[in-house]
């Protein structure tokens, strides 16, 4: 991302003003942004997610290598998704690779599929307790404290993006709460995004097939690529306004 | 049925109540086991997320609403022959609602968070509405029963009956809307479903009522007046035919839409257990045979035939719900139309479902709860329909 957004400008000014008083201690987010290849500033603790931002992903299916599972490995390692149940259909899969074969000409495409972070998410509409929620910056999450495990969101998701935790879990990642009896899905690595980092899958994709950024920022890399190339929202006729876009399908 | 001597009769009551209680207790035990181990011990998975417990729970909840139709025909539509049946119909409603809700609550991944469900409300969720509609149903039916059974409250029974009628139509609309509002899956997302659920509730509720009524009359060595039996059997036939009309409309509409034909081909022809249950279980056993029994005089004159027809309607109901709920999930979501898809997550693949013992026991536990409440209720209180034949004759209600 090249041009600063207003919040970043504020932090830059604040950082400059207090530079002599301990730069990293006062503005750790700015520091992270300066050294990393992050898309935006970190979200300071105690501040709400900004509705001015719409986090999104662009996935270039033409670059996605068949047989490669680096994004899946990265996601499951980052989020501690490791259980292997006797019936694999009961395992959680936050991200999966789908192989598409065009019925007309046999063309094969592979792509990663995960929560599409809809602007109008059906899972949020149907959740009885409000545990399924959309953060102000467009990330769709499950509040593990209020999820009752009814699985109605799994019935409602058109992308089959959600998993139900079928068993007791151990070795959870401290930053990704997971638990038996709750529903879960891709969080867009919200804990990393809030620190100014990219989602694990994006970072680990060896082909550079995934671009993460702010869809609302016209000069972000993702916005520029979406403006320049033909991209697709899966099942676009549902008009859910997806945060995840695909190229090459 | 020969009259039982009072001692044997009392013994039989305790045996029945204990059996019902045992089935309920085993169901609760199964739920505890599922809660302890997680749903890994069930046949449900990330593709078929709702299983046998939901089939049983939805049957019980839908039939609970429909069984009150008997009371409504008496109180709202003023048919005298049904008035004496209102208390029993209200008891059956509470019994089946208890069984159905228990199963659906105990199948939750976090059944311990019932208070969360009660205190966090999402107004856009049909499940959220149901959190209000279901307990509300208990309250409203309890008040209705009070107005029916307490002489001083009798003047209010018509108003309470009307409120109950409206509430249960809303309740079953809510149950049908659980599926009608689902955009994701081929089987659901259809506006006919709430209406279809309402008519299903009429048929299934009446079938349950007929079975309980016949059993109670037999127990007490009473015979239902042929004219009343005739009216009730004709009403059941009308409802069964109406359900078939809605089911046919639902499938024919789908067949007409190109994007739905693959799903219909699966459910009606190629999908293994699902077409079998649909055609043999629902259409033949649950619809055609009961309709023949109910409308062919030579058949329905046979003693016990209407009882049998009611039982077959219930068998058909379970088959239809199994096809609708499990079959609807077994068929893969069409995320990429025009492509053959495959993945490690059952994309593009038809799923199979085999219920395991714990979830089956939980499902039957719901029936056990409903049965026990009914058995104890009819024993302890005056629920036996008492027909005042002279009054009914004067009102023209028992003209053959």
């Amino acid at each position: 991302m090249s041009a600063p957004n207003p919040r970043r400008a504020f932090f830059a000014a604040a950082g400059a003003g207090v530079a002599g008083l301990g730069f990293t201690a006062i503005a750790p987010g700015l520091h992270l942004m300066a050294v990393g290849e992050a898309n935006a500033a970190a979200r300071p603790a105690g501040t709400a997610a900004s509705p001015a931002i719409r986090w999104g992903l662009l996935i270039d299916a033409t670059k996605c290598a068949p047989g490669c599972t680096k994004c899946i490995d990265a996601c499951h390692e980052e989020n501690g998704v490791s259980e292997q149940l006797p019936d694999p259909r009961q395992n959680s899969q936050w991200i999966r690779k789908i192989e598409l074969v065009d019925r007309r000409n046999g063309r094969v495409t592979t792509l990663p599929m995960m929560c599409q972070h809809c602007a109008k998410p059906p899972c949020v509409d149907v959740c009885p307790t409000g545990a399924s929620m959309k953060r102000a910056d467009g990330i769709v999450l499950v509040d593990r404290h209020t999820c009752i495990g009814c699985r109605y969101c799994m019935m409602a998701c058109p992308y089959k993006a959600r998993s139900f935790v079928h068993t007791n879990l151990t070795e959870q990642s401290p930053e990704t709460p997971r638990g038996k009896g709750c529903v879960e899905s891709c969080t867009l690595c919200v804990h990393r995004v809030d620190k100014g980092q990219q989602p694990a899958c994006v970072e680990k994709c060896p082909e550079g097939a995934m671009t993460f950024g702010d869809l609302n920022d016209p000069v972000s890399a993702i916005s520029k690529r979406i403006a320049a190339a033909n991209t697709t929202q899966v099942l676009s006729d549902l008009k859910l306004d997806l945060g995840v876009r695909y190229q090459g399908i | 049925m020969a009259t039982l001597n009072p001692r044997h009769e009392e013994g039989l009551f305790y045996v029945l109540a204990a059996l019902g209680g045992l089935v309920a207790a085993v169901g609760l035990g199964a739920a505890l086991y599922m809660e302890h181990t997680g749903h890994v011990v069930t046949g449900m998975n990330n593709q078929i997320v709702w299983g046998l417990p939901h089939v049983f729970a939805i049957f019980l909840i839908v039939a609970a609403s429909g069984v009150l139709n008997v009371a409504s025909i008496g109180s709202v539509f003023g048919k005298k022959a049904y008035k004496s049946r209102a208390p029993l119909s209200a008891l059956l409603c509470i019994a089946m609602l208890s069984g159905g809700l228990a199963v659906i609550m105990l199948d939750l991944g976090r059944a311990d968070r019932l208070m969360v469900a009660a205190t966090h409300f999402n107004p856009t969720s049909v499940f959220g509405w149901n959190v209000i509609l279901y307990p509300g149903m208990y309250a409203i039916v309890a008040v209705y029963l009070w107005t029916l059974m307490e002489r001083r409250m009798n003047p209010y029974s018509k108003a309470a009956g009307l409120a109950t009628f409206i509430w249960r139509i809303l309740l079953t609309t809510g149950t049908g809307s659980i599926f009608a509002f689902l955009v994701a899956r081929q089987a659901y997302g259809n506006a006919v479903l709430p209406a279809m659920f309402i008519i299903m509730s009429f048929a299934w509720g009446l079938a349950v009522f007929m079975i309980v009524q016949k059993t109670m009359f037999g127990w007490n060595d009473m015979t239902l007046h042929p004219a009343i039996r005739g009216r009730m059997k004709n009403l059941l036939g009308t409802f069964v035919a109406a359900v078939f009309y809605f089911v046919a409309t639902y499938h024919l509409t789908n067949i007409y839409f190109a994007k739905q034909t693959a799903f219909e081909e699966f459910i009606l022809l190629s999908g293994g257990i699902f077409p079998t249950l649909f055609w043999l279980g629902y259409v033949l056993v649950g619809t055609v045979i009961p309709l023949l029994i109910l409308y062919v005089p030579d058949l329905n004159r046979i003693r016990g035939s209407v009882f049998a027809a009611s039982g077959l309607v219930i068998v058909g109901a379970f088959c239809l719900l199994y096809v609708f709920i499990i079959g609807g999930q077994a068929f893969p979501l069409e995320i990429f139309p025009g492509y053959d898809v495959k993945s490690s997550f059952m994309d593009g693949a038809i799923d199979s479902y085999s219920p395991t013992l714990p979830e089956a026991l939980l499902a039957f536990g719901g029936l056990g709860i409903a049965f026990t409440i009914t058995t104890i209720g009819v024993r302890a209180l005056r629920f036996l329909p008492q027909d005042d034949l002279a009054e009914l004759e004067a009102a023209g209600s028992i003209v053959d």
Side-chain angles (χ1 to χ4, degrees), chain A residues 144-204:
Chain A
R144 312 306 171 86
H145 297 287
T146 49
C147 173
I148 57 171
C150 71
R151 286 102 82 199
Y152 196 19
C153 57
M154 299 175 76
M155 293 289 277
C157 175
Y159 305 99
K160 211 183 164 192
R162 293 205 153 180
S163 299
F164 179 65
V165 181
H166 283 76
T167 190
N168 287 303
L169 297 180
T170 53
E171 297 170 20
Q172 289 116 304
S173 157
E175 291 188 298
T176 312
R178 305 179 62 220
K180 177 185 72 182
C182 286
V183 175
E184 55 185 17
S185 57
C186 159
T187 64
L188 221 50
C189 282
V190 65
H191 58 287
R192 292 172 59 92
V193 171
D194 281 347
K195 285 191 284 197
Q197 299 171 323
Q198 303 209 8
C201 56
V202 177
E203 197 173 88
K204 293 286 167 62

Side-chain angles (χ1 to χ4, degrees), chain A residues 94-113:
Chain A
W94 289 24
I95 178 171
R96 64 194 191 271
K97 286 283 292 283
I98 297 186
E99 183 185 291
L100 312 176
V101 180
D102 192 324
R103 287 191 196 121
R104 287 166 302 180
N105 53 28
R107 188 170 74 100
V108 178
T109 311
T110 62
L111 50 82
M113 171 59 66

Side-chain angles (χ1 to χ4, degrees), chain B residues 192-325:
Chain B
V192 82
L193 294 177
M196 186 166 114
F197 269 64
I198 289 173
I199 197 68
M200 290 189 316
S201 82
F202 289 3
W204 303 348
L206 186 57
V208 169
F209 187 90
M210 303 278 272
I211 286 174
V212 174
Q213 175 178 254
K214 168 83 178 169
T215 309
M216 287 173 72
F217 272 59
W219 185 286
N220 291 287
D221 204 24
M222 289 163 56
T223 313
L224 189 60
H225 191 284
I228 297 173
R229 177 179 183 267
R231 287 180 143 229
M232 295 189 83
K233 98 173 165 53
N234 286 345
L235 189 63
L236 181 63
T238 309
F239 289 157
V240 169
V243 171
F244 183 72
Y245 169 82
F246 272 86
V247 171
T249 304
Y250 162 82
H251 285 293
L252 286 171
T253 311
N254 272 346
I255 289 168
Y256 208 81
F257 294 169
K259 65 176 185 174
Q260 295 282 44
T261 49
F263 166 69
E264 286 298 327
E265 199 267 339
F266 168 75
I267 279 289
L268 299 180
L269 295 174
S270 67
I273 180 82
F274 303 114
T276 308
L277 284 177
F278 181 81
W279 292 109
L280 284 182
Y282 167 67
V283 175
L284 183 66
V285 173
T287 304
V288 174
I289 296 177
L291 284 178
L292 285 174
I293 294 174
L294 295 170
Y295 285 119
V296 175
D298 284 345
L299 290 177
N300 62 51
R301 267 198 286 269
I302 300 169
R303 197 176 156 81
S305 58
V306 175
F307 181 85
S310 304
L312 294 180
V313 168
I314 293 171
V315 170
F318 276 100
C319 293
L320 181 62
L321 279 178
Y322 193 92
V323 172
F324 180 69
I325 296 171

Side-chain angles (χ1 to χ4, degrees), chain A residues 216-227:
Chain A
N216 283 351
D217 180 355
V219 293
S220 66
I222 189 170
S223 294
K224 284 180 177 171
R225 289 189 61 182
I226 288 173

